[in-house]
Amino acid sequence: MSLRRIIKSSNASITCCSSLYIRSNSIPYHHHPIHSLLSTKSQHTPFQSFSFMGLVFGKISVETPKYEVIKSTSEYEIRKYAPCVVAEVTYDPSQFKENKDGGFMVLANYIGALGKPQNTKPEKIAMTAPVITMDSGGGGEKIAMTAPVVTKDGGGEDGKKNKIVTMQFILPALYGKAEEAPKPTDERVVIREEGERKYGVVKFGGVASEEVVKEKVEKLKVSLETDGFKVVGDYLLARYNPPWTIPMFRTNEVMIPVE
């Protein structure tokens, strides 16, 4: 395919994805400046077209968390992550029509990814990857975390499983302390610090479905315990790409806190 045809095809894809995004009931899980990239009113230059193509093919061009690889095997890595500041929101998916990623828009509005930032300055905050979510058991109790993502299943009222979800955006490294980050105007958004932490990590592509994630978690736990590591918490799932990235080019990670 010629370069001209690639650009033309990409522009058509941008318009299509913009329409799908506006009409979709599902919330994307990657905080990307969709309003400028996908606006049907904007004039898409070759540069914008290539940027969109980069997203489609899994290019990660935003800041990601800093870490040190302590051990690397064919099955996993042991990583030590530097302290960071996160913005998070905790909710029951029923508040968003059972959408587990419903908190995305709350956090995207806080950083100004989709318009005027909903913080007191107001100040736009640069996008980062990955987007992190936490599932916890029912009962409405918010679990204090030392890991970015913790997943626990628990029974809710009347024996029903009622998961409470926490979604996090990791803020750029320029915010070294929680008080340095812009204060949210939406009381649902919490800004807090996370200290240094160590994880066993496995990376995988494709769609991070519950079935796939469960399989990865179980296999990783066995590998870690076999090699003498102590699992000290529940797993976390990190997703690096927007939903329109071709599945085979997506980057996901299952991470388990260890000692």
Side-chain angles (χ1 to χ4, degrees), residues 10-141:
S10 180
N11 280 332
S13 298
I14 291 173
T15 302
C16 175
C17 284
S18 177
S19 177
L20 289 174
Y21 174 77
I22 292 170
R23 291 173 173 80
S24 174
N25 287 326
S26 63
I27 303 298
Y29 50 74
H30 184 78
H31 42 306
H32 202 281
I34 304 168
H35 68 294
S36 60
L37 180 62
L38 297 185
S39 173
T40 55
K41 296 181 180 180
S42 63
Q43 296 296 318
H44 301 293
T45 65
F47 176 79
Q48 289 173 313
S49 297
F50 283 128
S51 296
F52 179 79
M53 288 171 61
L55 294 174
V56 170
F57 288 99
K59 182 179 180 181
I60 301 169
S61 58
V62 295
E63 182 180 329
T64 57
K66 293 179 174 61
Y67 62 83
E68 174 189 354
V69 177
I70 299 175
K71 179 178 179 178
S72 181
T73 74
S74 60
E75 297 179 333
Y76 63 85
E77 286 184 344
I78 300 296
R79 300 177 185 172
K80 182 169 68 174
Y81 280 81
C84 67
V85 177
V86 301
E88 67 181 27
V89 59
T90 300
Y91 54 94
D92 185 330
S94 65
Q95 297 173 309
F96 300 96
K97 299 181 180 179
E98 301 301 335
N99 188 340
K100 198 172 180 180
D101 289 332
F104 172 86
M105 292 301 295
V106 178
L107 295 176
N109 286 332
Y110 163 67
I111 68 171
L114 304 176
K116 182 181 178 180
Q118 291 187 5
N119 57 64
T120 53
K121 290 198 173 181
E123 175 180 294
K124 280 187 175 291
I125 302 172
M127 280 64 64
T128 65
V131 169
I132 295 172
T133 50
M134 174 187 80
D135 296 347
S136 64
E141 179 182 1

Side-chain angles (χ1 to χ4, degrees), residues 86-92 107 134-148 150 152 162-168 186-194:
V86 301
E88 67 181 27
V89 59
T90 300
Y91 54 94
D92 185 330
L107 295 176
M134 174 187 80
D135 296 347
S136 64
E141 179 182 1
K142 183 176 178 181
I143 299 176
M145 298 182 298
T146 55
V150 177
K152 290 186 178 181
N162 179 26
K163 290 184 178 179
I164 301 301
V165 177
T166 295
M167 177 175 284
Q168 293 181 339
D186 188 329
E187 63 181 12
R188 293 175 294 180
V189 179
V190 176
I191 307 300
R192 67 180 187 82
E193 299 172 19
E194 289 197 334

Side-chain angles (χ1 to χ4, degrees), residues 8 25 29 36 45 56 64 105 108 169 173 176 179 197 217 219 225 256:
K8 182 178 180 181
N25 287 326
Y29 50 74
S36 60
T45 65
V56 170
T64 57
M105 292 301 295
F169 283 6
E179 56 265 28
R197 55 235 186 265
V217 169
K219 184 176 180 180
E225 291 172 348
I256 297 178

